[in-house]
Amino acid sequence: METLGRVWNRLSIRRPTIATPEPVEEEDDMTPEKTREVFQMFNGTPTRRKSESAHHHRAILNQMENHQPRNSTQSPKRQPRISESSMDIPGSSLRRNSTETHVFANRAHLHSDINVPACSSEDDRISTIRRNSLFVKRGSVTMEPIKKVDLEEVYTVNKQLGTGRFGYIKLAEHKQSKHRIAIKFFPRPQTKQTDFVREYNYSFFLSPHQNIIDTYEGMFQSSDDTAYFFVQEFCPRASLREAVEATNQAGIGEANTKKVFAAVLSAIEFMHDENLVHRNLKAENILIFDANDYSKVKVTDFGLTRKVDTTVKYLEYVNNYHAAELCDTVVNEKLVVNKSTDIWALGIIFFYCMKGKFPWQKASIMCKPYWEWEQWLKRKNPALPKKFNPFSEKALKLFKKSLTPRFKDRWSAKDMRKCLAKEKLLKSVKKPDEDYYVMIDTSTKSRPSAASTSNGENQEGAAGGAPATGERKQKSTLQQWISTTLTAMAEISEQVVSARDD
Ligand SMILES: Nc1ncnc2c1ncn2[C@@H]1O[C@H](COP(=O)(O)OP(=O)(O)OP(=O)(O)O)[C@@H](O)[C@H]1O
């Protein structure tokens, strides 16, 4: 995956630094210095003068008009995102941080072209230039005003889509464009302006990624001063939490889990490459846009996102996704933000997708299921907790490298992505009865249909016909016993191998 950093280098554009140290969380209200600090999260020296930039944009528009058909060999990963929602929304009222909107912002008559996908690697390059020019531009902005908006004038606000600790999300219709959007509200005076501005900036900054929710440009405040808000694309389906809950603790299956993780890990790898940690990864913050095939999945909620190495205060709140080091922390203890927190949460989400439930309530030795896992991990108990039995060796390795209390041993998002893309995650389950029939039963009509092999032939000839029921039962039990023994042996050898590796 090409990171923004690499793109910046390739294009010889000086990259906006994201290195300004952030204050410890839970500060007082905004002072002018703090306001500057938040905006300096994206600060950098603009390398293009205004006139150069105008010339550059004209060049892009010219190239866009002459684009070639898409090269079929081009990797789908590098395909710029096709906008479904931005095209109809007038740029002045709702501009999203997508690559398309900005380049066309001055060409209202061409808005119908926005949905045309970029068609060549040249277009792909153009798209990244557009995206970067946006960041360079943002680096030069000192303070974007929070505009007062009469909500009822601009939007028809409908039902509540969700609530969180910091605010609530409502479905709304943008009156002018008739577009459905989601508005994220932050009640005042409970919400500090710094927190609102930070969340908006991270959401907006990250939204060009195809697996991150789109945030439209603009920070707003309701005209009655009761809330800050910003606007996002609306997810018409559900969060991953709802999708998993709908399976009645069966999980969404290996194939769908792989699809979800390909998207989520792409987003998290992108964030980690930018030295940002999400810090609030959970099934509720993964949005599924299509009902059936998990082909459009996006990460949302950047309220706790911070740069790596930022010092934050631990809040009194533990959830299923919290890593062991967080569960051991006392309120107001200071912590240093680390990417490994996200990796732990991803390990939990992986288990949750596959099994339809969480491995434990809290990653603390006071919680028995977690204690059992830790005992196995530390080889103090050779018995793998039963709930992990269905997983393949590679999937177990993924758990060992994400749900380990030794946070330095945790994998990177890239390691996780590779493992999930390539490996089988569940042990292949043998059905002893079927094997038994395949082996011995050739002619009996009572044979189940699965008794035939894939090419329609039976494994052994018509030597003896169907055996007596008692004999069948005996052989079936024997086969089950062999299967269980083999599984146990595989687990033991896996433990011996990992002991040797360490
Ligand atoms: N764009 C959207 N479209 C549809 N539903 C959404 C959208 N964004 C969020 N939601 C729903 O609203 C819920 C809460 O949103 P979000 O996580 O952003 O709020 P929060 O206050 O930051 O929550 P948290 O307590 O996790 O920090 C989500 O779990 C999701 O179900």
Side-chain angles (χ1 to χ4, degrees), residues 161-169 171 181-186 199 213-214 232-239 241-242 280 282-287 289 300-304 317:
L161 296 167
T163 38
R165 281 169 304 148
F166 307 110
Y168 51 96
I169 299 257
L171 171 65
I181 40 107
I183 304 185
K184 186 158 185 177
F185 291 97
F186 301 78
E199 179 165 348
I213 195 91
D214 269 338
Q232 294 187 314
E233 70 179 310
F234 164 60
C235 167
R237 296 283 174 262
S239 71
R241 176 86 189 220
E242 290 157 286
N280 196 12
K282 51 185 178 178
E284 292 88 328
N285 288 338
I286 296 170
L287 300 178
F289 280 70
T300 188
D301 193 357
F302 302 94
L304 292 184
Y317 157 74

mmCIF file of all heavy atoms in Angstrom, residues 161-169 171 181-186 199 213-214 232-239 241-242 280 282-287 289 300-304 317, ligand 1:
data_model
loop_
_atom_site.group_PDB
_atom_site.id
_atom_site.type_symbol
_atom_site.label_atom_id
_atom_site.label_comp_id
_atom_site.label_asym_id
_atom_site.label_seq_id
_atom_site.Cartn_x
_atom_site.Cartn_y
_atom_site.Cartn_z
ATOM 1 N N LEU A 161 -29.201 7.519 14.932
ATOM 2 C CA LEU A 161 -28.564 6.306 14.409
ATOM 3 C C LEU A 161 -27.737 5.603 15.475
ATOM 4 O O LEU A 161 -27.532 4.396 15.428
ATOM 5 C CB LEU A 161 -27.649 6.657 13.229
ATOM 6 C CG LEU A 161 -28.336 7.231 11.995
ATOM 7 C CD1 LEU A 161 -27.313 7.816 11.039
ATOM 8 C CD2 LEU A 161 -29.141 6.136 11.304
ATOM 9 N N GLY A 162 -27.263 6.380 16.408
ATOM 10 C CA GLY A 162 -26.445 5.772 17.459
ATOM 11 C C GLY A 162 -26.038 6.807 18.483
ATOM 12 O O GLY A 162 -26.108 8.007 18.234
ATOM 13 N N THR A 163 -25.637 6.311 19.630
ATOM 14 C CA THR A 163 -25.119 7.215 20.660
ATOM 15 C C THR A 163 -23.786 6.667 21.160
ATOM 16 O O THR A 163 -23.550 5.463 21.136
ATOM 17 C CB THR A 163 -26.035 7.290 21.908
ATOM 18 O OG1 THR A 163 -26.539 5.988 22.158
ATOM 19 C CG2 THR A 163 -27.121 8.286 21.751
ATOM 20 N N GLY A 164 -22.979 7.557 21.616
ATOM 21 C CA GLY A 164 -21.706 7.142 22.195
ATOM 22 C C GLY A 164 -21.496 7.902 23.475
ATOM 23 O O GLY A 164 -22.408 8.586 23.952
ATOM 24 N N ARG A 165 -20.285 7.782 23.982
ATOM 25 C CA ARG A 165 -20.002 8.464 25.238
ATOM 26 C C ARG A 165 -19.919 9.966 25.036
ATOM 27 O O ARG A 165 -20.130 10.747 25.936
ATOM 28 C CB ARG A 165 -18.676 7.973 25.808
ATOM 29 C CG ARG A 165 -18.769 6.642 26.500
ATOM 30 C CD ARG A 165 -17.388 6.135 26.790
ATOM 31 N NE ARG A 165 -16.603 6.055 25.578
ATOM 32 C CZ ARG A 165 -15.297 6.246 25.516
ATOM 33 N NH1 ARG A 165 -14.631 6.547 26.596
ATOM 34 N NH2 ARG A 165 -14.659 6.134 24.367
ATOM 35 N N PHE A 166 -19.559 10.373 23.808
ATOM 36 C CA PHE A 166 -19.271 11.792 23.614
ATOM 37 C C PHE A 166 -20.351 12.546 22.835
ATOM 38 O O PHE A 166 -20.326 13.752 22.769
ATOM 39 C CB PHE A 166 -17.921 11.947 22.906
ATOM 40 C CG PHE A 166 -16.832 11.202 23.611
ATOM 41 C CD1 PHE A 166 -16.262 10.072 23.048
ATOM 42 C CD2 PHE A 166 -16.401 11.612 24.855
ATOM 43 C CE1 PHE A 166 -15.269 9.367 23.710
ATOM 44 C CE2 PHE A 166 -15.410 10.920 25.525
ATOM 45 C CZ PHE A 166 -14.843 9.795 24.961
ATOM 46 N N GLY A 167 -21.266 11.806 22.240
ATOM 47 C CA GLY A 167 -22.270 12.491 21.443
ATOM 48 C C GLY A 167 -23.240 11.521 20.827
ATOM 49 O O GLY A 167 -23.367 10.386 21.284
ATOM 50 N N TYR A 168 -23.930 11.975 19.814
ATOM 51 C CA TYR A 168 -24.904 11.105 19.149
ATOM 52 C C TYR A 168 -24.931 11.417 17.656
ATOM 53 O O TYR A 168 -24.529 12.498 17.217
ATOM 54 C CB TYR A 168 -26.288 11.269 19.783
ATOM 55 C CG TYR A 168 -26.756 12.700 19.905
ATOM 56 C CD1 TYR A 168 -27.578 13.272 18.937
ATOM 57 C CD2 TYR A 168 -26.357 13.488 20.985
ATOM 58 C CE1 TYR A 168 -27.993 14.588 19.034
ATOM 59 C CE2 TYR A 168 -26.774 14.815 21.091
ATOM 60 C CZ TYR A 168 -27.586 15.352 20.109
ATOM 61 O OH TYR A 168 -27.976 16.658 20.201
ATOM 62 N N ILE A 169 -25.376 10.413 16.907
ATOM 63 C CA ILE A 169 -25.392 10.540 15.447
ATOM 64 C C ILE A 169 -26.839 10.491 14.989
ATOM 65 O O ILE A 169 -27.600 9.625 15.435
ATOM 66 C CB ILE A 169 -24.652 9.349 14.795
ATOM 67 C CG1 ILE A 169 -23.211 9.303 15.241
ATOM 68 C CG2 ILE A 169 -24.793 9.356 13.296
ATOM 69 C CD1 ILE A 169 -22.214 9.791 14.240
ATOM 70 N N LEU A 171 -29.588 10.658 11.576
ATOM 71 C CA LEU A 171 -29.801 10.625 10.139
ATOM 72 C C LEU A 171 -30.481 11.937 9.762
ATOM 73 O O LEU A 171 -31.365 12.417 10.487
ATOM 74 C CB LEU A 171 -30.706 9.436 9.777
ATOM 75 C CG LEU A 171 -31.200 9.375 8.342
ATOM 76 C CD1 LEU A 171 -30.042 9.171 7.374
ATOM 77 C CD2 LEU A 171 -32.201 8.234 8.159
ATOM 78 N N ILE A 181 -27.624 12.113 4.877
ATOM 79 C CA ILE A 181 -26.294 12.208 5.489
ATOM 80 C C ILE A 181 -26.423 11.878 6.983
ATOM 81 O O ILE A 181 -27.536 11.762 7.499
ATOM 82 C CB ILE A 181 -25.683 13.630 5.322
ATOM 83 C CG1 ILE A 181 -26.757 14.713 5.514
ATOM 84 C CG2 ILE A 181 -25.081 13.811 3.963
ATOM 85 C CD1 ILE A 181 -26.654 15.423 6.753
ATOM 86 N N ALA A 182 -25.284 11.701 7.620
ATOM 87 C CA ALA A 182 -25.284 11.468 9.072
ATOM 88 C C ALA A 182 -24.656 12.683 9.739
ATOM 89 O O ALA A 182 -23.615 13.161 9.287
ATOM 90 C CB ALA A 182 -24.490 10.215 9.392
ATOM 91 N N ILE A 183 -25.311 13.189 10.773
ATOM 92 C CA ILE A 183 -24.735 14.340 11.493
ATOM 93 C C ILE A 183 -24.268 13.863 12.857
ATOM 94 O O ILE A 183 -25.024 13.226 13.600
ATOM 95 C CB ILE A 183 -25.771 15.474 11.681
ATOM 96 C CG1 ILE A 183 -26.342 15.885 10.320
ATOM 97 C CG2 ILE A 183 -25.141 16.659 12.373
ATOM 98 C CD1 ILE A 183 -27.300 17.083 10.386
ATOM 99 N N LYS A 184 -22.998 14.144 13.142
ATOM 100 C CA LYS A 184 -22.469 13.766 14.455
ATOM 101 C C LYS A 184 -22.515 14.990 15.368
ATOM 102 O O LYS A 184 -21.857 15.999 15.103
ATOM 103 C CB LYS A 184 -21.046 13.212 14.323
ATOM 104 C CG LYS A 184 -20.516 12.677 15.634
ATOM 105 C CD LYS A 184 -19.399 11.685 15.479
ATOM 106 C CE LYS A 184 -19.022 11.122 16.844
ATOM 107 N NZ LYS A 184 -18.005 10.116 16.802
ATOM 108 N N PHE A 185 -23.324 14.890 16.409
ATOM 109 C CA PHE A 185 -23.517 16.006 17.353
ATOM 110 C C PHE A 185 -22.668 15.808 18.599
ATOM 111 O O PHE A 185 -22.551 14.688 19.110
ATOM 112 C CB PHE A 185 -24.985 16.082 17.790
ATOM 113 C CG PHE A 185 -25.924 16.520 16.703
ATOM 114 C CD1 PHE A 185 -26.633 15.594 15.967
ATOM 115 C CD2 PHE A 185 -26.092 17.867 16.428
ATOM 116 C CE1 PHE A 185 -27.513 15.997 14.968
ATOM 117 C CE2 PHE A 185 -26.969 18.284 15.432
ATOM 118 C CZ PHE A 185 -27.681 17.345 14.701
ATOM 119 N N PHE A 186 -22.140 16.923 19.103
ATOM 120 C CA PHE A 186 -21.365 16.929 20.349
ATOM 121 C C PHE A 186 -22.021 17.945 21.270
ATOM 122 O O PHE A 186 -21.851 19.153 21.057
ATOM 123 C CB PHE A 186 -19.913 17.323 20.078
ATOM 124 C CG PHE A 186 -19.222 16.419 19.111
ATOM 125 C CD1 PHE A 186 -19.449 16.526 17.746
ATOM 126 C CD2 PHE A 186 -18.339 15.444 19.563
ATOM 127 C CE1 PHE A 186 -18.817 15.682 16.846
ATOM 128 C CE2 PHE A 186 -17.715 14.597 18.675
ATOM 129 C CZ PHE A 186 -17.956 14.712 17.316
ATOM 130 N N GLU A 199 -11.390 15.854 16.711
ATOM 131 C CA GLU A 199 -12.088 14.726 16.063
ATOM 132 C C GLU A 199 -12.467 15.062 14.623
ATOM 133 O O GLU A 199 -12.315 14.242 13.712
ATOM 134 C CB GLU A 199 -13.343 14.316 16.864
ATOM 135 C CG GLU A 199 -14.068 13.178 16.161
ATOM 136 C CD GLU A 199 -15.092 12.448 17.013
ATOM 137 O OE1 GLU A 199 -15.126 12.638 18.230
ATOM 138 O OE2 GLU A 199 -15.848 11.664 16.415
ATOM 139 N N ILE A 213 -14.724 6.290 6.862
ATOM 140 C CA ILE A 213 -15.965 7.040 6.609
ATOM 141 C C ILE A 213 -15.641 8.429 6.041
ATOM 142 O O ILE A 213 -14.685 9.062 6.461
ATOM 143 C CB ILE A 213 -16.794 7.152 7.925
ATOM 144 C CG1 ILE A 213 -18.214 7.587 7.665
ATOM 145 C CG2 ILE A 213 -16.143 8.084 8.932
ATOM 146 C CD1 ILE A 213 -19.155 6.467 7.459
ATOM 147 N N ASP A 214 -16.460 8.865 5.113
ATOM 148 C CA ASP A 214 -16.274 10.199 4.522
ATOM 149 C C ASP A 214 -16.803 11.260 5.460
ATOM 150 O O ASP A 214 -17.934 11.159 5.942
ATOM 151 C CB ASP A 214 -17.092 10.308 3.235
ATOM 152 C CG ASP A 214 -16.279 9.887 2.040
ATOM 153 O OD1 ASP A 214 -15.044 9.920 2.127
ATOM 154 O OD2 ASP A 214 -16.883 9.517 1.032
ATOM 155 N N GLN A 232 -21.232 13.601 8.010
ATOM 156 C CA GLN A 232 -20.557 12.444 7.416
ATOM 157 C C GLN A 232 -21.482 11.741 6.441
ATOM 158 O O GLN A 232 -22.696 11.952 6.458
ATOM 159 C CB GLN A 232 -20.165 11.448 8.516
ATOM 160 C CG GLN A 232 -19.118 12.005 9.472
ATOM 161 C CD GLN A 232 -18.613 10.963 10.457
ATOM 162 O OE1 GLN A 232 -19.420 10.250 11.033
ATOM 163 N NE2 GLN A 232 -17.313 10.910 10.642
ATOM 164 N N GLU A 233 -20.904 10.862 5.631
ATOM 165 C CA GLU A 233 -21.754 10.056 4.754
ATOM 166 C C GLU A 233 -22.585 9.121 5.635
ATOM 167 O O GLU A 233 -22.150 8.746 6.733
ATOM 168 C CB GLU A 233 -20.920 9.250 3.759
ATOM 169 C CG GLU A 233 -20.135 8.119 4.384
ATOM 170 C CD GLU A 233 -19.325 7.309 3.386
ATOM 171 O OE1 GLU A 233 -19.871 6.885 2.357
ATOM 172 O OE2 GLU A 233 -18.119 7.094 3.668
ATOM 173 N N PHE A 234 -23.735 8.757 5.145
ATOM 174 C CA PHE A 234 -24.639 7.904 5.913
ATOM 175 C C PHE A 234 -24.421 6.442 5.538
ATOM 176 O O PHE A 234 -24.321 6.094 4.367
ATOM 177 C CB PHE A 234 -26.086 8.338 5.620
ATOM 178 C CG PHE A 234 -27.129 7.339 6.031
ATOM 179 C CD1 PHE A 234 -27.247 6.941 7.363
ATOM 180 C CD2 PHE A 234 -27.997 6.791 5.092
ATOM 181 C CE1 PHE A 234 -28.214 6.008 7.744
ATOM 182 C CE2 PHE A 234 -28.965 5.862 5.462
ATOM 183 C CZ PHE A 234 -29.072 5.468 6.798
ATOM 184 N N CYS A 235 -24.307 5.595 6.544
ATOM 185 C CA CYS A 235 -24.183 4.154 6.292
ATOM 186 C C CYS A 235 -25.594 3.554 6.408
ATOM 187 O O CYS A 235 -26.171 3.522 7.478
ATOM 188 C CB CYS A 235 -23.240 3.519 7.306
ATOM 189 S SG CYS A 235 -23.333 1.730 7.282
ATOM 190 N N PRO A 236 -26.137 3.084 5.292
ATOM 191 C CA PRO A 236 -27.544 2.662 5.317
ATOM 192 C C PRO A 236 -27.773 1.300 5.956
ATOM 193 O O PRO A 236 -28.905 0.935 6.223
ATOM 194 C CB PRO A 236 -27.904 2.615 3.828
ATOM 195 C CG PRO A 236 -26.609 2.404 3.125
ATOM 196 C CD PRO A 236 -25.528 2.973 3.976
ATOM 197 N N ARG A 237 -26.711 0.542 6.210
ATOM 198 C CA ARG A 237 -26.929 -0.800 6.759
ATOM 199 C C ARG A 237 -26.700 -0.826 8.264
ATOM 200 O O ARG A 237 -27.475 -0.325 9.017
ATOM 201 C CB ARG A 237 -26.039 -1.810 6.030
ATOM 202 C CG ARG A 237 -26.354 -1.956 4.563
ATOM 203 C CD ARG A 237 -27.599 -2.803 4.307
ATOM 204 N NE ARG A 237 -27.947 -2.795 2.910
ATOM 205 C CZ ARG A 237 -28.877 -2.004 2.368
ATOM 206 N NH1 ARG A 237 -29.548 -1.161 3.109
ATOM 207 N NH2 ARG A 237 -29.115 -2.027 1.079
ATOM 208 N N ALA A 238 -25.581 -1.434 8.659
ATOM 209 C CA ALA A 238 -25.414 -1.634 10.097
ATOM 210 C C ALA A 238 -23.950 -1.600 10.474
ATOM 211 O O ALA A 238 -23.071 -1.595 9.613
ATOM 212 C CB ALA A 238 -25.987 -3.005 10.446
ATOM 213 N N SER A 239 -23.742 -1.590 11.774
ATOM 214 C CA SER A 239 -22.357 -1.722 12.228
ATOM 215 C C SER A 239 -22.041 -3.213 12.288
ATOM 216 O O SER A 239 -22.940 -4.065 12.263
ATOM 217 C CB SER A 239 -22.176 -1.085 13.598
ATOM 218 O OG SER A 239 -22.819 -1.878 14.576
ATOM 219 N N ARG A 241 -21.155 -4.816 14.740
ATOM 220 C CA ARG A 241 -21.763 -5.353 15.966
ATOM 221 C C ARG A 241 -23.154 -5.920 15.665
ATOM 222 O O ARG A 241 -23.489 -7.039 16.031
ATOM 223 C CB ARG A 241 -21.867 -4.217 16.995
ATOM 224 C CG ARG A 241 -22.559 -4.577 18.282
ATOM 225 C CD ARG A 241 -21.583 -5.167 19.243
ATOM 226 N NE ARG A 241 -22.196 -5.715 20.422
ATOM 227 C CZ ARG A 241 -21.695 -5.603 21.637
ATOM 228 N NH1 ARG A 241 -20.592 -4.956 21.836
ATOM 229 N NH2 ARG A 241 -22.277 -6.171 22.655
ATOM 230 N N GLU A 242 -23.943 -5.111 14.934
ATOM 231 C CA GLU A 242 -25.300 -5.561 14.604
ATOM 232 C C GLU A 242 -25.261 -6.755 13.660
ATOM 233 O O GLU A 242 -26.048 -7.685 13.784
ATOM 234 C CB GLU A 242 -26.094 -4.416 13.970
ATOM 235 C CG GLU A 242 -26.437 -3.321 14.963
ATOM 236 C CD GLU A 242 -26.714 -1.993 14.281
ATOM 237 O OE1 GLU A 242 -25.757 -1.342 13.818
ATOM 238 O OE2 GLU A 242 -27.874 -1.622 14.198
ATOM 239 N N ASN A 280 -9.949 3.272 19.529
ATOM 240 C CA ASN A 280 -11.322 2.928 19.920
ATOM 241 C C ASN A 280 -11.898 1.937 18.908
ATOM 242 O O ASN A 280 -13.055 2.049 18.509
ATOM 243 C CB ASN A 280 -12.167 4.203 19.997
ATOM 244 C CG ASN A 280 -13.452 3.996 20.761
ATOM 245 O OD1 ASN A 280 -13.633 2.978 21.439
ATOM 246 N ND2 ASN A 280 -14.371 4.942 20.654
ATOM 247 N N LYS A 282 -13.644 -1.098 17.664
ATOM 248 C CA LYS A 282 -14.627 -2.050 18.176
ATOM 249 C C LYS A 282 -15.640 -2.299 17.069
ATOM 250 O O LYS A 282 -15.699 -1.539 16.090
ATOM 251 C CB LYS A 282 -15.294 -1.543 19.450
ATOM 252 C CG LYS A 282 -15.852 -0.146 19.389
ATOM 253 C CD LYS A 282 -16.380 0.261 20.765
ATOM 254 C CE LYS A 282 -16.913 1.666 20.758
ATOM 255 N NZ LYS A 282 -17.476 2.093 22.009
ATOM 256 N N ALA A 283 -16.440 -3.359 17.240
ATOM 257 C CA ALA A 283 -17.371 -3.737 16.171
ATOM 258 C C ALA A 283 -18.363 -2.601 15.866
ATOM 259 O O ALA A 283 -18.791 -2.446 14.729
ATOM 260 C CB ALA A 283 -18.109 -5.010 16.564
ATOM 261 N N GLU A 284 -18.702 -1.779 16.871
ATOM 262 C CA GLU A 284 -19.643 -0.678 16.659
ATOM 263 C C GLU A 284 -19.057 0.397 15.746
ATOM 264 O O GLU A 284 -19.789 1.159 15.134
ATOM 265 C CB GLU A 284 -20.001 -0.001 17.994
ATOM 266 C CG GLU A 284 -20.803 -0.840 18.947
ATOM 267 C CD GLU A 284 -19.929 -1.702 19.847
ATOM 268 O OE1 GLU A 284 -18.839 -2.128 19.403
ATOM 269 O OE2 GLU A 284 -20.331 -1.969 20.977
ATOM 270 N N ASN A 285 -17.739 0.466 15.705
ATOM 271 C CA ASN A 285 -17.101 1.509 14.898
ATOM 272 C C ASN A 285 -16.645 1.004 13.536
ATOM 273 O O ASN A 285 -15.846 1.651 12.861
ATOM 274 C CB ASN A 285 -15.929 2.118 15.680
ATOM 275 C CG ASN A 285 -16.431 2.990 16.820
ATOM 276 O OD1 ASN A 285 -17.572 3.462 16.782
ATOM 277 N ND2 ASN A 285 -15.613 3.183 17.834
ATOM 278 N N ILE A 286 -17.147 -0.157 13.154
ATOM 279 C CA ILE A 286 -16.885 -0.676 11.806
ATOM 280 C C ILE A 286 -18.243 -0.731 11.109
ATOM 281 O O ILE A 286 -19.155 -1.427 11.566
ATOM 282 C CB ILE A 286 -16.213 -2.059 11.876
ATOM 283 C CG1 ILE A 286 -14.840 -1.902 12.532
ATOM 284 C CG2 ILE A 286 -16.102 -2.686 10.487
ATOM 285 C CD1 ILE A 286 -14.159 -3.189 12.884
ATOM 286 N N LEU A 287 -18.383 0.039 10.058
ATOM 287 C CA LEU A 287 -19.697 0.139 9.407
ATOM 288 C C LEU A 287 -19.747 -0.721 8.143
ATOM 289 O O LEU A 287 -18.824 -0.696 7.325
ATOM 290 C CB LEU A 287 -20.020 1.594 9.075
ATOM 291 C CG LEU A 287 -20.067 2.560 10.269
ATOM 292 C CD1 LEU A 287 -20.357 3.987 9.810
ATOM 293 C CD2 LEU A 287 -21.110 2.119 11.307
ATOM 294 N N PHE A 289 -21.678 -1.432 4.731
ATOM 295 C CA PHE A 289 -22.560 -0.670 3.841
ATOM 296 C C PHE A 289 -23.494 -1.538 3.008
ATOM 297 O O PHE A 289 -24.442 -1.040 2.436
ATOM 298 C CB PHE A 289 -21.723 0.232 2.917
ATOM 299 C CG PHE A 289 -21.273 1.493 3.607
ATOM 300 C CD1 PHE A 289 -20.331 1.453 4.614
ATOM 301 C CD2 PHE A 289 -21.806 2.725 3.250
ATOM 302 C CE1 PHE A 289 -19.916 2.610 5.258
ATOM 303 C CE2 PHE A 289 -21.404 3.890 3.879
ATOM 304 C CZ PHE A 289 -20.456 3.831 4.887
ATOM 305 N N THR A 300 -14.965 4.035 11.447
ATOM 306 C CA THR A 300 -15.424 5.375 11.838
ATOM 307 C C THR A 300 -14.992 5.704 13.270
ATOM 308 O O THR A 300 -14.344 4.879 13.925
ATOM 309 C CB THR A 300 -16.974 5.469 11.694
ATOM 310 O OG1 THR A 300 -17.364 6.819 11.896
ATOM 311 C CG2 THR A 300 -17.712 4.577 12.689
ATOM 312 N N ASP A 301 -15.366 6.873 13.754
ATOM 313 C CA ASP A 301 -15.146 7.344 15.117
ATOM 314 C C ASP A 301 -13.668 7.573 15.472
ATOM 315 O O ASP A 301 -12.996 6.701 16.015
ATOM 316 C CB ASP A 301 -15.781 6.373 16.134
ATOM 317 C CG ASP A 301 -15.854 6.993 17.516
ATOM 318 O OD1 ASP A 301 -15.375 8.127 17.678
ATOM 319 O OD2 ASP A 301 -16.376 6.339 18.434
ATOM 320 N N PHE A 302 -13.223 8.765 15.177
ATOM 321 C CA PHE A 302 -11.826 9.107 15.433
ATOM 322 C C PHE A 302 -11.691 10.037 16.646
ATOM 323 O O PHE A 302 -10.763 10.824 16.748
ATOM 324 C CB PHE A 302 -11.196 9.716 14.162
ATOM 325 C CG PHE A 302 -11.303 8.741 13.013
ATOM 326 C CD1 PHE A 302 -12.369 8.805 12.132
ATOM 327 C CD2 PHE A 302 -10.397 7.708 12.881
ATOM 328 C CE1 PHE A 302 -12.516 7.861 11.116
ATOM 329 C CE2 PHE A 302 -10.532 6.759 11.878
ATOM 330 C CZ PHE A 302 -11.593 6.837 10.990
ATOM 331 N N GLY A 303 -12.648 9.903 17.552
ATOM 332 C CA GLY A 303 -12.670 10.749 18.744
ATOM 333 C C GLY A 303 -11.500 10.502 19.682
ATOM 334 O O GLY A 303 -11.090 11.396 20.411
ATOM 335 N N LEU A 304 -10.992 9.274 19.698
ATOM 336 C CA LEU A 304 -9.865 8.991 20.599
ATOM 337 C C LEU A 304 -8.540 8.892 19.838
ATOM 338 O O LEU A 304 -7.514 8.571 20.429
ATOM 339 C CB LEU A 304 -10.117 7.681 21.363
ATOM 340 C CG LEU A 304 -11.259 7.675 22.381
ATOM 341 C CD1 LEU A 304 -11.317 6.353 23.126
ATOM 342 C CD2 LEU A 304 -11.123 8.819 23.387
ATOM 343 N N TYR A 317 -13.049 3.551 32.190
ATOM 344 C CA TYR A 317 -13.968 2.914 31.257
ATOM 345 C C TYR A 317 -13.246 1.735 30.640
ATOM 346 O O TYR A 317 -12.170 1.888 30.057
ATOM 347 C CB TYR A 317 -14.363 3.953 30.202
ATOM 348 C CG TYR A 317 -14.841 3.420 28.898
ATOM 349 C CD1 TYR A 317 -16.105 2.859 28.792
ATOM 350 C CD2 TYR A 317 -14.037 3.486 27.762
ATOM 351 C CE1 TYR A 317 -16.553 2.382 27.577
ATOM 352 C CE2 TYR A 317 -14.481 3.012 26.558
ATOM 353 C CZ TYR A 317 -15.744 2.459 26.464
ATOM 354 O OH TYR A 317 -16.182 1.991 25.270
HETATM 355 N N1 LIG B 1 -22.186 7.555 9.312
HETATM 356 C C1 LIG B 1 -22.986 6.749 10.002
HETATM 357 N N2 LIG B 1 -24.053 6.192 9.427
HETATM 358 C C2 LIG B 1 -24.864 5.370 10.143
HETATM 359 N N3 LIG B 1 -24.677 5.055 11.442
HETATM 360 C C3 LIG B 1 -23.624 5.587 12.074
HETATM 361 C C4 LIG B 1 -22.718 6.452 11.399
HETATM 362 N N4 LIG B 1 -21.759 6.816 12.267
HETATM 363 C C5 LIG B 1 -22.042 6.216 13.435
HETATM 364 N N5 LIG B 1 -23.148 5.474 13.338
HETATM 365 C C6 LIG B 1 -23.784 4.684 14.422
HETATM 366 O O1 LIG B 1 -23.711 5.440 15.621
HETATM 367 C C7 LIG B 1 -22.960 4.738 16.622
HETATM 368 C C8 LIG B 1 -22.171 5.725 17.464
HETATM 369 O O2 LIG B 1 -21.293 6.475 16.629
HETATM 370 P P1 LIG B 1 -19.827 6.915 17.067
HETATM 371 O O3 LIG B 1 -19.068 5.703 17.468
HETATM 372 O O4 LIG B 1 -19.223 7.761 16.018
HETATM 373 O O5 LIG B 1 -20.188 7.782 18.363
HETATM 374 P P2 LIG B 1 -19.272 8.070 19.633
HETATM 375 O O6 LIG B 1 -20.019 9.021 20.491
HETATM 376 O O7 LIG B 1 -17.941 8.529 19.172
HETATM 377 O O8 LIG B 1 -19.183 6.659 20.311
HETATM 378 P P3 LIG B 1 -18.071 6.033 21.291
HETATM 379 O O9 LIG B 1 -18.723 5.878 22.610
HETATM 380 O O10 LIG B 1 -17.737 4.717 20.665
HETATM 381 O O11 LIG B 1 -16.904 6.937 21.294
HETATM 382 C C9 LIG B 1 -22.100 3.750 15.832
HETATM 383 O O12 LIG B 1 -21.832 2.604 16.577
HETATM 384 C C10 LIG B 1 -22.976 3.425 14.635
HETATM 385 O O13 LIG B 1 -23.861 2.354 14.931
#
